[in-house]
């Protein structure tokens, strides 16, 4: 997901054609003329084509700076509220009359150059599997050094050149978890775990290392899928470009018809009308204080939804838990915000009467791939069983509505 503008609230149409496989770049056609021109031009395999519909809330600067190009016909947007902002000189935003294909080619060259300079270290003690993995990774355009034991791995890590460690969980002399826990100086190094074990065990290993402070990007089952590795690398390439949620900017929670269900924003920036979805962190010290704030805005408890995250640690804070229960009894709705799968809050799910779940972008692909017996699969099954409405982190509505409806999603935010 390359959209980086925090206040982007536009609705995007689903693609006419389903894209499959890994794509380095996304070309957003902002009108029908641009879409037809892009289709007729014959796009390279590394480009995914999507339709998009801009509106006045788009902030164009930096929106398509990395990983994407926007294409438009100025005549199709003349007279719109956003026309002046759109037609200024923005990186990655191209008119049909410009050489937008050259812009795509340049973005691809930048990606390939980044890959070629990316030092990956593979720790795999099996001779045949190690040689096969190294060859597979090098064919993706990545420099890959391969070691077969912990001592050799630590020696290369000490050089300071490695940017990603891809390691097998089960080593003959020492398992990867023990090796890493004994060398915590590498906690910030991005790590991908590989294993032939069942996914539940792999997920558990990932959580263990995450708890210890390690930067584990993913835990993948063998055999390694090249496209999955590229997706993880693309996340590093784009950096932390996820939409910010709780920084005082507003996000609208909508059903699939586009109807606003509520507005997610901080206490200091409440919506002028409609339901307010308020992050619990720092919202109040007790229920009376929260109720007094609602009274000052001339709002009822029924107009408020408290958005709770696992990091709020409610089950370990008696006063905070009491506040949430009192608010719920008074008519305040409860929503759970889940933005990573490291610690799935089964306990919170059973202890509090949640009515909504806000699912963050990092979990969307995980949920899509999760088997019914995985931790995430079981968690989401329990969410649906309880009857909690699920809203997906997709403020620009890039996701395919029908496929997510079948999974039980009620809308997006």
């Amino acid at each position: 997901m390359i959209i980086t503008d925090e206040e982007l609230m536009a609705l995007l149409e689903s693609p006419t054609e389903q894209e499959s496989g890994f794509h380095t770049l996304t070309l957003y056609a902002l009108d029908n003329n641009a879409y037809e021109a892009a289709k007729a031009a014959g796009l390279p395999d590394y480009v995914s084509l999507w339709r998009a519909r801009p509106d006045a809330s788009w902030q164009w600067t930096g929106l398509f700076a990395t990983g994407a190009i926007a294409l438009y016909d100025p005549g199709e947007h003349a007279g719109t509220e956003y026309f002046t902002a759109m037609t200024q000189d923005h990186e990655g935003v191209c008119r049909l009359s410009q050489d937008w294909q050259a812009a795509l080619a340049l973005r691809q060259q930048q990606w390939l150059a980044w890959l070629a300079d990316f030092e990956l270290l593979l720790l795999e003690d099996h001779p045949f599997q190690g040689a096969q993995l190294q060859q597979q990774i090098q064919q993706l355009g990545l420099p890959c050094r391969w070691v077969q034991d912990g001592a050799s791995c630590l020696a290369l890590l000490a050089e300071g050149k490695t940017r990603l460690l891809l390691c097998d969980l089960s080593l003959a002399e020492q398992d990867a978890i023990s090796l890493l826990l004994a060398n915590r100086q590498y906690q910030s190094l991005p790590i991908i775990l590989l294993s032939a074990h069942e996914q539940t065990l792999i997920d558990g290993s990932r959580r263990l290392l995450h708890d210890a402070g390690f930067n584990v990007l993913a835990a993948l089952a063998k055999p390694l899928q090249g496209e999955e590795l590229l997706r993880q690398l693309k996340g590093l390439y784009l950096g932390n470009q996820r939409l910010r949620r709780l920084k005082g900017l507003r996000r609208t929670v909508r059903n699939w018809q586009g109807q606003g269900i509520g507005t997610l924003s901080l206490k200091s920036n409440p919506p002028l009308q409609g339901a307010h979805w308020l992050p619990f962190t720092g919202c109040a010290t007790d229920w009376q204080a929260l109720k007094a704030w609602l009274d000052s805005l001339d709002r009822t408890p029924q107009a408020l939804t408290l958005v709770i995250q696992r990091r709020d640690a409610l089950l370990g804070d008696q006063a905070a838990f009491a506040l949430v229960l009192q608010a719920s009894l008074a008519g305040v709705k409860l929503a759970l915000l889940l933005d990573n799968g490291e610690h799935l809050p089964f306990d919170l799910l059973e202890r509090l009467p949640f009515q909504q779940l806000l699912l963050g972008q990092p979990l969307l692909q995980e949920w899509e791939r999760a088997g019914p017996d995985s931790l995430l699969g079981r968690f989401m099954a329990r969410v649906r069983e309880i009857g909690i409405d699920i809203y997906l982190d997709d403020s620009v509505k890039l996701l395919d509505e029908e496929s997510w409806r079948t999974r039980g999603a009620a809308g997006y935010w």
Side-chain angles (χ1 to χ4, degrees):
M1 181 72 164
I2 52 77
I3 300 295
T4 60
D5 177 56
E6 298 88 353
E7 294 175 314
L8 184 57
M9 297 297 177
L11 301 178
L12 298 188
E13 299 171 1
S14 297
T16 299
E17 302 170 1
Q18 288 296 319
E19 300 285 354
S20 60
F22 173 79
H23 302 276
T24 306
L25 301 174
T26 305
L27 175 61
Y28 291 101
L30 304 186
D31 51 68
N32 193 60
N33 287 349
Y35 181 74
E36 295 299 332
K39 285 181 62 179
L43 296 174
D45 291 341
Y46 57 80
V47 178
S48 175
L49 176 62
W50 291 79
R51 294 177 183 266
R53 184 174 65 249
D55 69 13
S57 66
W58 282 30
Q59 293 188 358
W60 296 83
T61 302
L63 189 57
F64 300 96
T66 308
I69 295 290
L71 183 64
Y72 72 99
D73 178 353
E76 293 295 299
H77 303 270
T80 61
E81 292 180 285
Y82 56 82
F83 183 75
T84 300
M86 169 193 261
T87 53
Q88 294 176 8
D89 187 17
H90 300 293
E91 184 179 5
V93 181
C94 300
R95 297 177 175 85
L96 268 177
S97 59
Q98 296 175 310
D99 194 352
W100 54 271
Q101 291 172 295
L104 287 173
L106 177 60
R107 289 287 169 87
Q108 177 68 0
Q109 291 171 12
Q110 292 169 342
W111 160 254
L112 294 176
W114 182 85
L115 281 183
D117 193 46
F118 192 93
E119 189 75 39
L120 186 148
L121 178 59
L122 169 65
L123 173 57
E124 169 60 72
D125 60 355
H126 191 285
F128 175 75
Q129 291 185 15
Q132 188 179 46
L133 281 167
Q134 184 183 40
Q135 181 181 25
Q136 180 185 5
I137 292 166
Q138 289 173 339
Q139 288 174 345
L140 296 176
L142 284 155
C144 176
R145 296 193 289 180
W146 167 38
V147 294
Q148 295 180 258
D149 58 79
S152 301
C153 177
L154 293 175
L156 290 184
L157 288 177
E159 294 179 2
K161 299 178 181 178
T162 300
R163 298 174 66 182
L164 174 69
L165 174 62
L166 179 65
C167 65
D168 186 11
L169 272 174
S170 303
L171 304 173
E173 296 183 0
Q174 183 183 23
D175 65 88
I177 294 176
S178 299
L179 176 68
L180 292 168
L181 290 177
N183 294 273
R184 294 175 181 265
Q185 66 270 33
Y186 300 115
Q187 286 178 322
S188 62
L189 177 69
I191 299 168
I192 295 178
L193 302 175
L194 275 178
S195 179
H197 294 292
E198 63 180 26
Q199 192 64 46
T200 301
L201 180 60
I202 303 173
D203 290 341
S205 301
R206 178 184 181 184
R207 289 196 306 276
L208 179 62
L209 288 172
H210 182 272
D211 286 348
F214 285 89
N215 182 20
V216 183
L217 301 181
L220 307 177
K222 290 182 178 180
L224 175 67
Q225 302 298 316
E227 288 188 354
E228 181 57 39
L229 177 59
L230 287 174
R231 287 189 186 95
Q232 297 297 331
L233 291 169
K234 186 177 179 181
L236 293 175
Y237 176 63
L238 297 178
N240 186 21
Q241 294 193 357
R242 287 182 297 159
L243 294 165
R244 291 187 302 173
R245 298 172 177 82
L246 307 177
K247 301 299 183 182
L249 299 174
R250 297 174 179 173
R251 294 282 299 274
T252 302
V253 183
R254 303 179 186 274
N255 60 23
W256 289 119
Q257 290 73 40
Q259 177 186 1
I261 306 300
T263 301
L264 175 64
S265 66
L266 292 182
K267 187 178 177 183
S268 59
N269 189 26
L272 298 178
Q273 58 185 5
H276 186 186
W277 290 45
L278 175 68
F280 177 77
T281 304
C283 74
T285 56
D286 56 60
W287 166 240
Q288 292 304 320
L290 183 58
K291 187 176 185 304
W293 175 73
L294 285 171
D295 291 341
S296 71
L297 298 176
D298 197 24
R299 298 201 174 199
T300 66
Q302 289 74 19
L304 180 66
T305 295
L306 285 180
V307 180
I308 296 164
Q309 303 179 76
R310 184 187 179 278
R311 65 180 62 98
D312 292 324
L314 291 185
L315 299 183
D317 186 333
Q318 186 176 358
F321 190 76
L323 165 57
V324 171
L325 283 183
Q326 287 178 290
S328 178
L329 290 171
V332 173
K333 300 180 181 65
L334 302 181
L336 177 65
L337 171 59
L338 189 63
D339 58 3
N340 73 77
E342 300 300 338
H343 300 282
L344 296 173
F346 284 93
D347 47 1
L348 271 179
L349 207 59
E350 303 299 334
R351 297 282 298 276
L352 290 172
F354 289 108
Q355 293 154 293
Q356 291 95 9
L357 170 66
L358 298 180
L359 199 63
Q361 282 184 19
L363 277 179
L364 298 186
Q365 284 190 350
E366 288 191 40
W367 185 23
E368 198 169 20
R369 298 191 303 265
D373 294 329
S374 67
L375 283 177
L376 182 57
R378 294 200 298 269
F379 183 86
M380 296 307 296
R382 180 58 178 154
V383 166
R384 295 193 298 273
E385 181 182 338
I386 294 173
I388 296 174
D389 293 331
I390 304 168
Y391 295 91
L392 311 177
D393 185 0
D394 184 33
S395 66
V396 291
K397 205 180 179 187
L398 290 176
L399 299 175
D400 176 46
E401 177 182 330
E402 289 305 315
S403 65
W404 287 100
R405 273 180 181 268
T406 61
R407 290 180 171 271
Y412 57 96
W413 61 287

